[in-house]
């Protein structure tokens, strides 16, 4: 294996591992099995519609994880400019999570 192939494999592994964290927490919140997670804008004890809040926050975290994995794979295989796009899209997902969660209080 060349150094480029090792770097590619390490980069894809890193971004995939990084993306699995929000995917895991998104699934747990979606299933209403995790309430103590400190996420800005996620206050399950104040929610009037807890099911809707959990679906919203869980789906935003799932999307964020998928963006991280997809962007990392594209950055490793196509171009490093996809890292900038990945960071921007992840920030948009986090902003949507916070702003959208406000409608459930």
């Amino acid at each position: 294996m060349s150094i480029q192939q090792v770097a590619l494999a390490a980069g894809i592994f890193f971004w995939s591992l990084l993306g699995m964290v929000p995917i895991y927490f998104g699934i747990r919140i979606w299933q209403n099995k995790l309430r103590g997670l400190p996420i800005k804008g996620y206050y399950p004890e104040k929610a009037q519609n807890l099911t809707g809040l959990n679906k919203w926050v869980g789906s935003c975290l799932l999307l964020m994880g998928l963006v991280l994995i997809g962007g990392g794979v594209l950055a490793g295989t196509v171009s490093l400019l996809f890292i900038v796009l990945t960071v921007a899209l992840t920030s948009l997902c986090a902003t949507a999570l916070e702003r959208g969660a406000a409608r459930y209080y």
Side-chain angles (χ1 to χ4, degrees):
M1 278 180 103
S2 69
I3 292 184
Q4 286 89 5
Q5 291 172 333
V6 171
L8 175 64
I12 290 174
F13 176 75
F14 170 76
W15 284 100
S16 298
L17 191 62
L18 191 65
M20 291 306 290
V21 173
I23 287 175
Y24 170 76
F25 287 118
I27 290 171
R28 299 287 294 175
I29 289 174
W30 179 279
Q31 296 171 341
N32 197 20
K33 293 183 179 176
L34 187 67
R35 293 191 181 172
L37 191 66
I39 298 175
K40 187 173 171 80
Y42 178 62
Y43 307 108
E45 65 278 352
K46 297 180 183 178
Q48 295 174 356
N49 181 3
L50 183 60
T51 304
L53 176 66
N54 285 337
K55 299 284 184 197
W56 175 257
V57 172
S59 62
C60 284
L61 286 172
L62 285 170
L63 180 64
M64 192 182 307
L66 291 175
V67 164
L68 283 168
I69 291 172
V73 169
L74 287 174
T77 56
V78 179
S79 172
L80 287 177
L81 291 176
F82 279 104
I83 290 178
V84 175
L85 183 63
T86 301
V87 170
L89 287 175
T90 304
S91 298
L92 284 173
C93 290
T95 303
L97 185 150
E98 182 183 359
R99 298 270 167 103
R103 66 180 173 216
Y104 296 101
Y105 301 113

